[in-house]
């Protein structure tokens, strides 16, 4: 059974913490991105962690040259349990982030930082430019031994293929819920090390706690 990751793309700190607390009984991990961090500050990661006791992953899809990626990773991993980066920028840029994570892990091996690499995104436009190179990116993920990859629930056949290519990397998979991914098909692919990401179907629901509970039960 895969785990449930909440994609918390709200813009208000009070709302973010309220939803985080309400859903924490059913959510295994919380993913936040630029919308919430830009609306508040990077310290929102710690505030959510303190309120929920859950791991928080920063979905910044970092995609820059190695020296810039290094700076972003140092700032982010000072707060977050993991960071998401793009793979298309090449192995040197991804390795720069991995090296930062390794330094943090030397200091605190009991709470290892995770580096998660995007292979193929879940929206329709990803088939234009990302999909043709996604298999190569997944292979690079396996070669680099990143902790995890992002692969789409909206295309279960692609999800299966990318997971197999990336070898031992766990998968976090967006697309279930508002984007229409078929959870039954996704569950045939993912295992207990992986995560199903659900965002709007939970945080836009009138009762986020009940929605999170429903998805947890479905998993």
């Amino acid at each position: 059974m895969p785990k449930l990751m909440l994609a918390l793309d709200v813009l208000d700190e009070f709302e973010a913490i309220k939803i985080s607390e309400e859903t924490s009984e059913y959510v295994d991990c919380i993913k936040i991105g630029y919308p919430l961090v830009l609306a508040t500050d990077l310290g929102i990661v710690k505030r959510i962690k303190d309120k929920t006791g859950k791991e928080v992953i920063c979905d910044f899809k970092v995609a820059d040259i190695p020296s810039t990626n290094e700076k972003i990773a140092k700032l982010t991993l000072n707060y977050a349990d993991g960071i998401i980066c793009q793979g298309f920028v090449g192995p040197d840029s991804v390795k720069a982030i991995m090296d930062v994570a390794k330094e943090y892990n030397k200091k605190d091996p009991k709470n290892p930082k995770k580096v998660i690499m995007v292979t193929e995104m879940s929206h329709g436009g990803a088939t234009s430019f990302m999909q043709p190179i996604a298999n190569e990116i997944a292979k690079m993920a396996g070669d680099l031994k990143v902790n995890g990859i992002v692969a789409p629930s909206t295309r279960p056949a692609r999800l299966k293929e990318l997971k197999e290519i990336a070898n031992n990397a766990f998968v976090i998979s967006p697309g279930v819920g508002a984007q229409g991914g078929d959870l039954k098909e996704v569950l045939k692919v993912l295992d207990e090390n992986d995560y199903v990401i659900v965002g709007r179907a939970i945080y836009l629901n009138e009762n986020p706690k009940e929605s999170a509970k429903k998805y947890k039960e479905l998993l």
Side-chain angles (χ1 to χ4, degrees), residues 13-14 31 49 55 58 78 93 99 102 114 118 127 170 186:
E13 179 170 344
F14 175 80
K31 179 174 76 72
K49 284 168 61 70
E55 285 192 332
C58 279
N78 192 43
S93 288
D99 288 344
K102 287 174 184 175
K114 300 175 178 66
V118 178
T127 61
F170 65 79
V186 169

Side-chain angles (χ1 to χ4, degrees), residues 61-156:
K61 295 187 178 68
V62 186
D64 218 308
I65 63 172
S67 61
T68 303
N69 275 10
E70 178 185 1
K71 292 170 186 175
I72 295 169
K74 282 181 177 178
L75 290 168
T76 304
L77 293 177
N78 192 43
Y79 294 92
D81 298 287
I83 185 170
I84 296 175
C85 65
Q86 290 283 6
F88 65 76
V89 286
D92 52 348
S93 288
V94 176
K95 191 173 181 300
I97 296 172
M98 295 179 70
D99 288 344
V100 172
K102 287 174 184 175
E103 288 301 312
Y104 275 102
N105 294 345
K106 287 178 185 176
K107 297 174 187 175
D108 187 6
K110 292 183 179 179
N111 297 289
K113 305 293 186 178
K114 300 175 178 66
V115 178
I116 303 166
M117 199 175 80
V118 178
T119 58
E120 182 178 325
M121 293 170 68
S122 54
H123 65 300
T127 61
S128 298
F129 301 107
M130 294 191 80
Q131 190 177 93
I133 61 168
N135 286 15
E136 293 178 56
I137 293 175
K139 183 180 183 303
M140 183 176 74
D143 292 342
L144 291 174
K145 295 182 170 57
V146 297
N147 301 104
I149 64 166
V150 179
S153 284
T154 46
R155 294 181 285 279

Side-chain angles (χ1 to χ4, degrees), residues 5 18-19 28 32 44 61 63 73 78 94 151 180 192-193 205:
M5 181 180 288
K18 181 173 182 288
I19 292 171
D28 298 290
I32 68 171
I44 188 65
K61 295 187 178 68
N78 192 43
V94 176
E192 67 275 2
N193 297 312
N205 192 280

Side-chain angles (χ1 to χ4, degrees), residues 172-193:
I172 71 171
S173 189
V176 168
Q179 292 188 68
D182 187 338
L183 184 56
K184 289 182 180 178
E185 291 301 311
V186 169
L187 291 178
K188 295 176 183 177
V189 177
L190 301 184
D191 59 40
E192 67 275 2
N193 297 312

